Amino acid sequence: MLDGARVVLPTGVVEDARLAVDGTKITATPAENAPRIDLTGHWLLPGFVDIHNHGGGGASFSSGTAEEILTGVHTHRTHGTTTLVASTVTDDMDVLVRQAGLLSELTEQGEIAGIHFEGPFISPCRKGAHSEALLRDPDPAAVRKLVDAARGQARMVTLATELPGGIESVRLLVEHGVLAAVGHTDATYEQTVAAIEAGATVATHLFNAMPPLGHRAPGPIAALLEDERVTVELINDGTHLHPAALQLAFHHAGPERVAFITDAMDAAGFGDGRYLLGPLEVDVTDGVARLADSGAIAGSTLTLDRALRRAVTVDGLPVEHAVAALSANPARLLGLHDRVGSLEPGKDADLLVLDADFTLKGVMRKGAWVVAPELP
């Protein structure tokens, strides 16, 4: 029994609330003789759901062994991410197929929530931290090869849908129950609208790796923001986005269509140094990851607890809007909203304890403490 906290529920913030946990689930009533934990002065939030994450704790989801991947997953769990989709980066197709098999096994074991393929089907004009030599058009047969390699565990594929085969691949993904995401794209407004009409429902890290918003050529940003069917990813680390861009996204998409992501690479929760992101070398200095050869931003070292704290204390978002972007919205996008994403009876007991200043103090996943709160 968790008592006395300010609890963020789908209906809003409830003061001095009580939450019951029985086994792995949140329950409507506490179990008999359940121990009581006094959380007076603290926040109680649902566990975070990260739909775009390449690694952490020194481990890469694109190339790591099962043990290394679990190290990365655990690193993010200690920072509040109780549900995580593992993202790959552009590499040789055989490498991606092999890694998809490993990641699908970890999904089947319940360690991760599926696979996101970011590349190789992206634009060389907006490649970001992806190897240009390994990029390819989104040929439906190649896209199908990755989806099949994931054995039903592919959750999302990022595509530059303006490239040859892009629209056909969007339709293919939709037919197989996989999210089609528009990203690393040089598409026009009209081309992006066509992709959405074909079934694309996600904007991969909106604003980043796509043409800027223009008054005569509005590009993909306007199309993705205006369509109610699209969820927009945002990397709220203070490096990828100006606060005004974040406010623009929330204003036009509304708080129910924003998903905060980390786009984290190996250095998240680990430290500065030189790393590999796929085949590319990355230097991390003062927590900012950049390609060693060009200085281009190469993912982030963000964890979602930091994204929450920044959203509330720097960006001035209402707590319930920030929490929705970190939990309920991405859970709904993944089709997992019946299990995770909010603190409601019957759902997994994935919850977070934070102090009054939004510093993470405790993490529970499926009823077990990953980080036990040290309370006075």
Side-chain angles (χ1 to χ4, degrees), residues 25-368:
K25 300 291 184 180
I26 298 169
T27 61
T29 55
E32 193 172 341
N33 300 320
R36 177 181 177 274
I37 298 176
D38 185 2
L39 295 180
T40 301
H42 290 74
W43 290 91
L44 197 58
L45 313 181
F48 302 141
V49 179
D50 194 354
I51 61 172
H52 187 155
N53 188 316
H54 296 280
S60 167
F61 299 150
S62 295
S63 59
T65 64
E67 183 178 0
E68 290 167 342
I69 292 167
L70 290 175
T71 295
V73 170
H74 180 74
T75 297
H76 285 282
R77 280 184 191 164
T78 63
H79 288 276
T81 298
T82 51
T83 302
L84 181 149
V85 174
S87 302
T88 62
V89 295
T90 296
D91 212 320
D92 182 84
M93 284 292 287
D94 290 340
V95 172
L96 292 172
V97 166
R98 183 171 62 250
Q99 200 67 8
L102 176 57
L103 292 170
S104 66
E105 291 177 9
L106 294 173
T107 305
E108 290 159 2
Q109 295 167 14
E111 298 292 347
I112 59 177
I115 308 166
H116 163 219
F117 296 104
E118 188 184 26
F121 312 114
I122 60 176
S123 172
C125 301
R126 305 286 175 178
K127 64 182 183 296
H130 292 254
S131 171
E132 185 168 354
L134 295 171
L135 299 182
R136 57 190 297 165
D137 290 339
D139 173 63
V143 174
R144 175 67 184 269
K145 184 177 181 180
L146 288 187
V147 171
D148 287 348
R151 304 200 306 259
Q153 306 304 334
R155 296 289 176 264
M156 183 164 65
V157 178
T158 292
L159 307 165
T161 53
E162 75 278 9
L163 295 177
I167 296 298
E168 292 85 351
S169 290
V170 168
R171 295 192 181 109
L172 170 74
L173 292 170
V174 172
E175 289 172 4
H176 286 80
V178 180
L179 296 167
V182 177
H184 287 276
T185 177
D186 205 39
T188 64
Y189 172 87
E190 291 76 14
Q191 289 170 327
T192 307
V193 168
I196 297 168
E197 289 299 325
T201 55
V202 182
T204 293
H205 42 55
L206 187 74
F207 300 109
N208 300 116
M210 60 183 61
L213 186 66
H215 64 292
R216 291 193 181 93
I221 293 172
L224 294 163
L225 280 176
E226 72 183 8
D227 199 296
E228 294 183 355
R229 293 169 290 185
V230 177
T231 297
V232 298
E233 296 180 347
L234 298 178
I235 310 171
N236 192 27
D237 61 352
T239 298
H240 282 78
L241 295 177
H242 189 282
L246 180 141
Q247 294 290 350
L248 179 72
F250 268 88
H251 177 75
H252 286 280
E256 69 281 354
R257 289 204 292 119
V258 174
F260 282 142
I261 60 165
T262 60
D263 194 19
M265 46 82 70
D266 312 19
F270 200 67
D272 290 355
R274 175 158 287 193
Y275 297 84
L276 282 177
L277 186 60
L280 303 180
E281 291 187 331
V282 174
D283 287 328
V284 178
T285 304
D286 296 329
V288 178
R290 298 185 180 274
L291 290 180
D293 61 353
S294 69
I297 294 175
S300 85
T301 63
L302 185 64
T303 52
L304 286 183
D305 58 331
R306 286 168 45 209
L308 169 74
R309 195 166 193 269
R310 179 178 178 84
V312 176
T313 64
V314 176
D315 301 312
L317 291 180
V319 176
E320 54 269 37
H321 291 178
V323 170
L326 288 156
S327 301
N329 297 347
R332 184 172 57 252
L333 184 68
L334 293 174
L336 300 177
H337 54 287
D338 60 330
R339 289 172 32 207
V340 299
S342 59
L343 300 178
E344 298 176 273
K347 294 192 176 184
D348 290 349
D350 293 356
L351 54 88
L352 312 175
V353 178
L354 297 91
D355 66 15
D357 296 321
F358 296 97
T359 299
L360 190 66
K361 294 297 182 181
V363 179
M364 177 182 287
R365 183 174 187 267
K366 295 187 177 180

